[in-house]
Short mmCIF file of all heavy atoms in Angstrom, two decimals:
data_model
loop_
_atom_site.label_atom_id
_atom_site.label_comp_id
_atom_site.label_asym_id
_atom_site.label_seq_id
_atom_site.Cartn_x
_atom_site.Cartn_y
_atom_site.Cartn_z
N SER A 29 107.44 102.67 104.61
CA SER A 29 108.64 103.30 104.24
C SER A 29 108.53 103.78 102.74
O SER A 29 107.62 103.39 101.99
CB SER A 29 109.94 102.40 104.32
OG SER A 29 109.97 101.98 105.63
N SER A 30 109.47 104.68 102.38
CA SER A 30 109.43 105.28 101.06
C SER A 30 108.07 105.72 100.67
O SER A 30 107.54 105.49 99.60
CB SER A 30 109.92 104.21 100.00
OG SER A 30 111.24 103.83 100.28
N LEU A 31 107.45 106.51 101.54
CA LEU A 31 106.06 106.96 101.37
C LEU A 31 105.98 107.92 100.12
O LEU A 31 106.87 108.66 99.78
CB LEU A 31 105.59 107.70 102.59
CG LEU A 31 105.26 106.78 103.75
CD1 LEU A 31 105.22 107.55 105.05
CD2 LEU A 31 103.95 106.07 103.43
N LYS A 32 104.80 107.78 99.51
CA LYS A 32 104.45 108.53 98.30
C LYS A 32 103.16 109.36 98.62
O LYS A 32 102.35 108.89 99.33
CB LYS A 32 104.36 107.62 97.09
CG LYS A 32 105.48 106.77 96.83
CD LYS A 32 105.18 105.85 95.62
CE LYS A 32 106.36 104.99 95.27
NZ LYS A 32 106.18 104.07 94.21
N PRO A 33 102.97 110.51 97.93
CA PRO A 33 101.75 111.25 98.15
C PRO A 33 100.56 110.41 97.88
O PRO A 33 99.49 110.62 98.57
CB PRO A 33 101.87 112.35 97.12
CG PRO A 33 103.36 112.57 97.02
CD PRO A 33 103.98 111.26 97.12
N ARG A 34 100.61 109.48 96.94
CA ARG A 34 99.38 108.63 96.66
C ARG A 34 99.05 107.63 97.74
O ARG A 34 98.06 106.90 97.71
CB ARG A 34 99.49 107.97 95.33
CG ARG A 34 100.72 107.10 95.11
CD ARG A 34 100.73 106.44 93.70
NE ARG A 34 101.93 105.79 93.39
CZ ARG A 34 102.92 106.40 92.79
NH1 ARG A 34 102.85 107.62 92.51
NH2 ARG A 34 104.07 105.74 92.50
N ASP A 35 99.95 107.51 98.78
CA ASP A 35 99.60 106.70 99.95
C ASP A 35 98.74 107.38 100.82
O ASP A 35 98.15 106.72 101.78
CB ASP A 35 101.00 106.35 100.71
CG ASP A 35 101.91 105.44 99.91
OD1 ASP A 35 101.42 104.55 99.12
OD2 ASP A 35 103.07 105.61 100.01
N THR A 36 98.44 108.63 100.64
CA THR A 36 97.58 109.48 101.52
C THR A 36 96.12 108.78 101.58
O THR A 36 95.53 108.62 100.45
CB THR A 36 97.41 110.85 101.08
OG1 THR A 36 98.74 111.47 101.16
CG2 THR A 36 96.45 111.66 101.93
N ALA A 37 95.74 108.48 102.76
CA ALA A 37 94.42 107.81 102.88
C ALA A 37 94.13 107.61 104.40
O ALA A 37 95.14 107.90 105.24
CB ALA A 37 94.41 106.50 102.21
N VAL A 38 92.98 107.21 104.73
CA VAL A 38 92.66 106.68 106.06
C VAL A 38 93.02 105.22 106.05
O VAL A 38 92.59 104.53 105.20
CB VAL A 38 91.22 106.90 106.46
CG1 VAL A 38 90.98 106.32 107.83
CG2 VAL A 38 90.93 108.46 106.47
N TYR A 39 93.81 104.73 107.01
CA TYR A 39 94.16 103.36 107.13
C TYR A 39 93.40 102.66 108.33
O TYR A 39 93.37 103.21 109.37
CB TYR A 39 95.70 103.26 107.35
CG TYR A 39 96.49 103.50 106.12
CD1 TYR A 39 96.60 104.81 105.59
CD2 TYR A 39 97.00 102.45 105.32
CE1 TYR A 39 97.29 105.07 104.43
CE2 TYR A 39 97.73 102.70 104.13
CZ TYR A 39 97.85 104.06 103.77
OH TYR A 39 98.50 104.25 102.56
N TYR A 40 92.87 101.53 108.04
CA TYR A 40 91.99 100.81 108.91
C TYR A 40 92.63 99.36 109.17
O TYR A 40 93.09 98.80 108.26
CB TYR A 40 90.61 100.61 108.38
CG TYR A 40 89.87 101.89 108.14
CD1 TYR A 40 89.90 102.46 106.94
CD2 TYR A 40 88.96 102.36 109.15
CE1 TYR A 40 89.16 103.67 106.73
CE2 TYR A 40 88.24 103.50 108.97
CZ TYR A 40 88.32 104.16 107.74
OH TYR A 40 87.62 105.38 107.57
N CYS A 41 92.55 99.01 110.47
CA CYS A 41 92.91 97.67 110.81
C CYS A 41 91.72 96.78 110.79
O CYS A 41 90.71 97.20 111.15
CB CYS A 41 93.46 97.71 112.27
SG CYS A 41 94.08 96.14 112.95
N LYS A 42 91.99 95.51 110.38
CA LYS A 42 90.87 94.62 110.16
C LYS A 42 91.31 93.20 110.78
O LYS A 42 92.39 92.76 110.51
CB LYS A 42 90.47 94.43 108.71
CG LYS A 42 89.37 93.41 108.54
CD LYS A 42 89.10 93.16 107.04
CE LYS A 42 88.19 92.08 106.75
NZ LYS A 42 87.98 91.79 105.31
N GLY A 43 90.45 92.66 111.45
CA GLY A 43 90.59 91.31 111.94
C GLY A 43 89.45 90.38 111.49
O GLY A 43 88.31 90.82 111.37
N THR A 44 89.77 89.13 111.07
CA THR A 44 88.82 88.26 110.49
C THR A 44 88.79 86.92 111.24
O THR A 44 89.90 86.36 111.39
CB THR A 44 89.03 88.01 108.99
OG1 THR A 44 89.12 89.26 108.28
CG2 THR A 44 87.92 87.21 108.39
N SER A 45 87.66 86.36 111.54
CA SER A 45 87.54 85.11 112.16
C SER A 45 86.50 84.34 111.36
O SER A 45 85.43 84.87 110.95
CB SER A 45 87.07 85.18 113.59
OG SER A 45 88.10 85.77 114.42
N TYR A 46 86.84 83.03 111.21
CA TYR A 46 85.85 82.17 110.46
C TYR A 46 85.26 81.10 111.49
O TYR A 46 86.11 80.39 112.18
CB TYR A 46 86.60 81.41 109.34
CG TYR A 46 87.13 82.35 108.31
CD1 TYR A 46 88.44 82.74 108.40
CD2 TYR A 46 86.42 82.86 107.24
CE1 TYR A 46 88.97 83.66 107.47
CE2 TYR A 46 86.83 83.67 106.34
CZ TYR A 46 88.25 84.07 106.46
OH TYR A 46 88.78 84.92 105.50
N ARG A 47 83.97 81.07 111.62
CA ARG A 47 83.25 80.23 112.53
C ARG A 47 82.07 79.53 111.78
O ARG A 47 81.16 80.07 111.59
CB ARG A 47 82.76 80.94 113.73
CG ARG A 47 83.83 81.80 114.46
CD ARG A 47 83.25 82.68 115.55
NE ARG A 47 84.06 83.69 115.93
CZ ARG A 47 83.76 84.78 116.63
NH1 ARG A 47 82.51 84.95 117.07
NH2 ARG A 47 84.67 85.73 116.91
N GLY A 48 82.36 78.30 111.39
CA GLY A 48 81.47 77.51 110.67
C GLY A 48 81.10 78.36 109.34
O GLY A 48 82.00 78.73 108.59
N PRO A 49 79.85 78.58 109.01
CA PRO A 49 79.45 79.38 107.72
C PRO A 49 79.54 80.81 107.90
O PRO A 49 79.35 81.56 106.90
CB PRO A 49 78.00 78.90 107.54
CG PRO A 49 77.49 78.75 108.95
CD PRO A 49 78.61 78.13 109.68
N ARG A 50 79.87 81.35 109.12
CA ARG A 50 79.91 82.76 109.40
C ARG A 50 81.32 83.33 109.22
O ARG A 50 82.36 82.67 109.77
CB ARG A 50 79.33 83.13 110.77
CG ARG A 50 77.91 82.70 110.94
CD ARG A 50 76.97 83.58 110.08
NE ARG A 50 77.20 84.97 110.38
CZ ARG A 50 76.58 85.68 111.39
NH1 ARG A 50 75.72 85.02 112.15
NH2 ARG A 50 76.83 86.97 111.58
N VAL A 51 81.41 84.51 108.76
CA VAL A 51 82.69 85.28 108.73
C VAL A 51 82.45 86.53 109.57
O VAL A 51 81.56 87.29 109.32
CB VAL A 51 83.08 85.70 107.29
CG1 VAL A 51 84.35 86.45 107.30
CG2 VAL A 51 83.14 84.46 106.38
N TYR A 52 83.32 86.66 110.49
CA TYR A 52 83.32 87.81 111.47
C TYR A 52 84.44 88.78 111.06
O TYR A 52 85.58 88.34 111.06
CB TYR A 52 83.31 87.36 112.90
CG TYR A 52 82.15 86.60 113.35
CD1 TYR A 52 82.11 85.23 113.17
CD2 TYR A 52 81.04 87.11 113.96
CE1 TYR A 52 81.00 84.49 113.50
CE2 TYR A 52 79.96 86.41 114.34
CZ TYR A 52 79.96 85.10 114.11
OH TYR A 52 78.81 84.37 114.55
N GLU A 53 84.08 90.03 110.83
CA GLU A 53 85.06 90.98 110.57
C GLU A 53 85.01 92.15 111.65
O GLU A 53 83.97 92.71 111.84
CB GLU A 53 84.79 91.67 109.18
CG GLU A 53 84.92 90.63 108.02
CD GLU A 53 84.70 91.20 106.69
OE1 GLU A 53 84.18 92.36 106.53
OE2 GLU A 53 85.05 90.54 105.64
N TYR A 54 86.17 92.51 112.08
CA TYR A 54 86.29 93.59 113.09
C TYR A 54 87.14 94.70 112.49
O TYR A 54 88.21 94.38 112.05
CB TYR A 54 86.96 93.03 114.35
CG TYR A 54 86.20 91.80 114.92
CD1 TYR A 54 86.68 90.52 114.58
CD2 TYR A 54 85.13 91.91 115.73
CE1 TYR A 54 85.99 89.37 115.11
CE2 TYR A 54 84.41 90.82 116.30
CZ TYR A 54 84.86 89.59 115.89
OH TYR A 54 84.22 88.43 116.48
N TRP A 55 86.66 95.90 112.69
CA TRP A 55 87.33 97.09 112.14
C TRP A 55 87.70 98.11 113.18
O TRP A 55 86.90 98.31 114.15
CB TRP A 55 86.44 97.77 111.07
CG TRP A 55 86.27 96.98 109.83
CD1 TRP A 55 85.20 96.07 109.55
CD2 TRP A 55 86.96 97.01 108.64
NE1 TRP A 55 85.28 95.63 108.32
CE2 TRP A 55 86.37 96.07 107.71
CE3 TRP A 55 88.18 97.64 108.28
CZ2 TRP A 55 86.92 95.85 106.43
CZ3 TRP A 55 88.66 97.41 107.04
CH2 TRP A 55 88.10 96.55 106.11
N GLY A 56 88.84 98.66 112.98
CA GLY A 56 89.19 99.75 113.86
C GLY A 56 88.65 101.11 113.34
O GLY A 56 87.88 101.19 112.33
N GLN A 57 88.90 102.21 114.02
CA GLN A 57 88.27 103.50 113.71
C GLN A 57 88.97 104.24 112.58
O GLN A 57 88.55 105.16 112.00
CB GLN A 57 88.17 104.38 114.91
CG GLN A 57 89.42 105.16 115.25
CD GLN A 57 90.58 104.36 115.76
OE1 GLN A 57 90.38 103.23 116.10
NE2 GLN A 57 91.77 104.97 115.88
N GLY A 58 90.20 103.77 112.27
CA GLY A 58 91.01 104.38 111.24
C GLY A 58 91.94 105.46 111.73
O GLY A 58 91.71 106.10 112.71
N THR A 59 92.98 105.60 111.08
CA THR A 59 93.99 106.67 111.37
C THR A 59 94.47 107.34 110.02
O THR A 59 94.76 106.59 109.09
CB THR A 59 95.26 106.09 112.11
OG1 THR A 59 96.12 107.18 112.54
CG2 THR A 59 95.98 105.04 111.35
#
């Protein structure tokens, strides 16, 4: 809400899972 011109960008969704010493990151394609 109350969007500003400087908000212009590609927005990506990210999911993160932690499994022992590993960090798994999942990314969407962006919008």
Side-chain angles (χ1 to χ4, degrees):
S29 300
S30 301
L31 285 163
K32 302 175 180 180
R34 57 180 169 270
D35 295 323
T36 296
V38 178
Y39 285 75
Y40 297 89
C41 181
K42 178 187 177 183
T44 305
S45 294
Y46 302 93
R47 307 171 196 168
R50 297 290 304 275
V51 179
Y52 294 86
E53 297 181 346
Y54 306 94
W55 292 91
Q57 85 288 350
T59 185

